[in-house]
């Protein structure tokens, strides 16, 4: 297919912009072992990338969360590390502190604004009614703006002594990551169905694109936007969402719901493509985590795992080991009996931790795939820009 002159010009502009960013980054790398140009990570998201923000605001998390890596609850909705943890490790950075955590935080290498149950769109209900977090993407973005303002104010005052704040020039040397949208897609899915959810998905992708633009105005130049996981393979949704047996594919995933996710991801990809043209000297990457996770759900044994659509931490056993009335770590009375949703002894063999979130094992495999560079659109040579560290 022949490209028009205007399309060729747009493509060349994108290539040149990417080259400018890469050249600037490479210029500071004197050797293979030099530090990565990315000095910090600022993350926006939901429970898939929350590293303790929600539980800092609403303390209550208990075991068995954190059992694999941290050996105790760490504010993450899994048994160990999440994808952003692995990205930080690979870039030679410490784990990124939650913005809402007042004790023990170190913001010299970024901040994590993600909180469990967050949405892209502003919620029209309360956390205590539907469980949706008040910290939507717009709120997280405002927190980022306030953070930058406070950093500049602090350094302008030329205060002496050590600080856990970054230098004012950090914002142009940082990686900005987005892993959010799952709750916008699923929170009303059971009640209004796929067609109902589709009505507001364009607003979701528009809000993400607009947030990228605002961060660009704040000095951001490198953005990773992770797409939506195949929710039709998650045990919780296989149990809770209405469907017929004919809607299950040969891997046990919900065909119609996964197709709707693909439609959303394509919409997101197109929106980022349009946004990219408006952001000179920026690298805006669409990251296809969906493809990685779908492969893990469909062929777990090919990647050192055993169980795809079965939760490690849950109650009920059977195909999914998920019960909608008792979530991971909780104990409830069901039919007159106290029951507990407990964790398996081998989460490293599972894709799904609690029916809704991925295990550390799945997160690590997904992070490795991202770091390999095969799931970026457009291509982005991260391994050439940074000396990537092991993420054992």
């Amino acid at each position: 297919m022949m490209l028009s002159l205007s399309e060729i010009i747009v493509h060349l502009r994108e290539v040149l912009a990417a080259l400018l960013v890469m050249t600037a980054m490479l210029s500071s790398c004197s050797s293979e072992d030099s530090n990565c140009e990315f000095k910090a990570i600022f993350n926006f998201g939901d429970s898939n990338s929350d590293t303790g923000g929600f539980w800092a605001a609403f303390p209550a998390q208990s075991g068995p969360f954190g059992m694999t890596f941290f050996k105790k609850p760490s504010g993450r909705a899994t048994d160990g590390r999440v994808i952003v943890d692995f990205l930080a490790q690979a870039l030679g950075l410490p784990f990124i502190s939650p913005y809402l955590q007042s004790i023990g935080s170190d913001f010299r290498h970024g901040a994590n604004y993600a909180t469990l149950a967050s949405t892209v769109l502003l919620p029209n209900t309360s956390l205590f009614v539907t469980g949706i977090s008040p910290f939507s993407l717009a709120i997280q973005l405002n927190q980022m703006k306030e953070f930058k303002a406070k950093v500049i104010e602090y350094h302008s005052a030329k205060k002496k002594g050590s600080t856990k704040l970054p230098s004012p020039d950090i914002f142009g040397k940082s990686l900005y990551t987005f892993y959010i949208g799952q709750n916008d897609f699923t929170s009303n899915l059971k009640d209004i169905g796929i067609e109902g959810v589709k009505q507001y998905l364009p607003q979701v992708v528009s809000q993400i694109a607009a947030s990228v633009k605002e961060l660009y105005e704040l000095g951001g130049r490198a953005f990773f936007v992770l797409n939506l996981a195949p929710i039709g393979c998650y045990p919780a949704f296989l149990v809770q969402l209405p469907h017929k047996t004919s809607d299950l594919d040969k891997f046990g995933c919900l065909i119609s719901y996964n197709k709707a996710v693909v439609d959303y991801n394509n919409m997101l990809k197109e929106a980022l493509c349009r946004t990219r043209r408006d952001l000179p000297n920026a690298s805006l990457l669409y990251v296809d985590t969906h493809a990685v996770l779908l492969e893990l759900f469909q062929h777990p044994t090919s990647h050192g795992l055993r169980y795809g659509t079965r939760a490690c931490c849950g109650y009920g056993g059977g195909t999914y080991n998920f019960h909608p009335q008792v979530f991971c770590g909780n104990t409830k009375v069901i039919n007159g009996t106290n029951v507990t949703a407990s964790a398996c002894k081998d989460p490293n063999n599972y894709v799904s931790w609690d029916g809704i979130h991925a295990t550390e094992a799945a997160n690590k495999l997904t992070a490795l795939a991202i770091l390999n560079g095969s799931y970026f659109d457009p291509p982005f040579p991260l391994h050439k820009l940074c000396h990537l560290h092991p993420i054992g």
Side-chain angles (χ1 to χ4, degrees):
M1 182 180 67
M2 295 291 292
L3 294 176
S4 68
L5 180 59
S6 60
E7 289 174 321
I8 293 173
I9 292 173
V10 167
H11 178 69
L12 286 173
R13 284 178 59 196
E14 293 175 0
V15 172
L16 288 171
L19 285 172
L20 284 170
V21 174
M22 288 186 280
T23 300
M25 291 177 177
L26 287 169
S27 64
S28 66
C29 299
S30 58
S31 71
E32 183 180 341
D33 292 324
S34 63
N35 291 329
C36 179
E37 173 65 13
F38 294 129
K39 304 303 182 185
I41 296 176
F42 292 98
N43 181 67
F44 304 84
D46 52 32
S47 55
N48 291 306
S49 60
D50 185 357
T51 55
F54 183 88
W55 297 111
F58 306 100
Q61 194 184 38
S62 60
F65 291 90
M67 61 180 278
T68 298
F69 183 80
F70 300 98
K71 309 303 180 184
K72 63 180 181 179
S74 65
R76 293 158 174 82
T78 184
D79 60 305
R81 290 163 289 183
V82 293
I83 292 174
V84 71
D85 289 322
F86 288 113
L87 292 180
Q89 285 185 286
L91 299 182
L93 301 174
F95 293 143
I96 309 306
S97 293
Y99 175 77
L100 295 173
Q101 182 174 284
S102 58
I103 299 175
S105 287
D106 185 340
F107 298 117
R108 289 175 293 179
H109 299 283
N112 190 355
Y113 302 95
T115 67
L116 180 150
S118 286
T119 52
V120 173
L121 302 180
L122 284 169
N124 56 8
T125 183
S126 165
L127 169 70
F128 304 103
V129 176
T130 61
I132 294 297
S133 170
F135 302 106
S136 66
L137 181 55
I139 301 299
Q140 294 180 27
L141 184 61
N142 283 339
Q143 291 172 334
M144 175 69 202
K145 293 176 181 177
E146 179 71 5
F147 179 81
K148 181 178 180 180
K150 292 297 184 182
V151 167
I152 294 173
E153 178 183 315
Y154 175 87
H155 287 286
S156 296
K158 298 181 179 180
K159 295 181 179 180
K160 296 181 179 180
S162 61
T163 177
K164 298 296 185 181
L165 294 176
S167 62
D169 64 348
I170 197 79
F171 302 102
K173 301 176 181 179
S174 301
L175 176 63
Y176 296 81
T177 54
F178 291 78
Y179 197 8
I180 190 169
Q182 181 169 310
N183 295 311
D184 295 90
F185 194 97
T186 62
S187 60
N188 293 317
L189 192 52
K190 183 178 179 180
D191 296 326
I192 65 178
I194 293 173
E195 293 306 315
V197 170
K198 282 185 175 180
Q199 298 303 310
Y200 57 79
L201 291 182
Q203 300 174 48
V204 174
V205 298
S206 294
Q207 183 66 43
I208 293 174
S211 298
V212 170
K213 288 183 176 180
E214 288 199 57
L215 289 170
Y216 181 84
E217 293 300 319
L218 290 178
R221 291 297 180 268
F223 307 91
F224 286 4
V225 181
L226 283 61
N227 65 3
L228 189 62
I231 61 105
C233 297
Y234 280 81
F237 302 120
L238 282 161
V239 170
Q240 294 179 292
L241 294 177
H243 65 276
K244 297 179 180 179
T245 304
S246 58
D247 194 28
L248 294 175
D249 62 22
K250 63 181 180 179
F251 304 105
C253 298
L254 294 164
I255 298 170
S256 59
Y257 293 98
N258 274 352
K259 182 182 181 301
V261 170
V262 170
D263 291 341
Y264 166 82
N265 284 339
N266 287 336
M267 191 187 310
L268 175 63
K269 186 176 182 179
E270 292 170 5
L272 295 179
C273 183
R274 292 191 298 271
T275 304
R276 195 175 298 120
R277 297 167 186 169
D278 298 330
L279 305 180
N281 305 327
S283 290
L284 173 55
L285 285 299
Y286 170 85
V287 186
D288 193 5
T289 49
H290 175 277
V292 184
L293 286 166
L294 185 63
E295 168 65 19
L296 296 181
F297 277 116
Q298 292 180 341
H299 306 104
T301 57
S302 298
H303 305 280
L305 309 175
R306 291 183 62 188
Y307 306 103
T309 56
R310 177 183 170 87
C312 164
C313 187
Y315 168 75
T319 303
Y320 306 120
N321 191 36
F322 179 85
H323 195 291
Q325 294 179 32
V326 53
F327 294 120
C328 176
N330 291 340
T331 298
K332 284 193 175 182
V333 177
I334 297 180
N335 297 326
T337 303
N338 270 342
V339 300
T340 299
S342 56
C344 62
K345 295 180 180 180
D346 57 342
N348 57 300
N349 283 322
Y350 288 73
V351 178
S352 176
W353 163 242
D354 59 356
I356 303 170
H357 307 97
T359 58
E360 173 177 284
N363 285 329
K364 181 177 181 179
L365 289 168
T366 304
L368 286 170
I370 293 172
L371 294 167
N372 177 264
S374 303
Y375 295 89
F376 290 133
D377 184 74
F380 186 73
L382 182 61
H383 64 287
K384 293 183 179 179
L385 304 178
C386 301
H387 171 59
L388 299 178
H389 297 252
I391 57 171

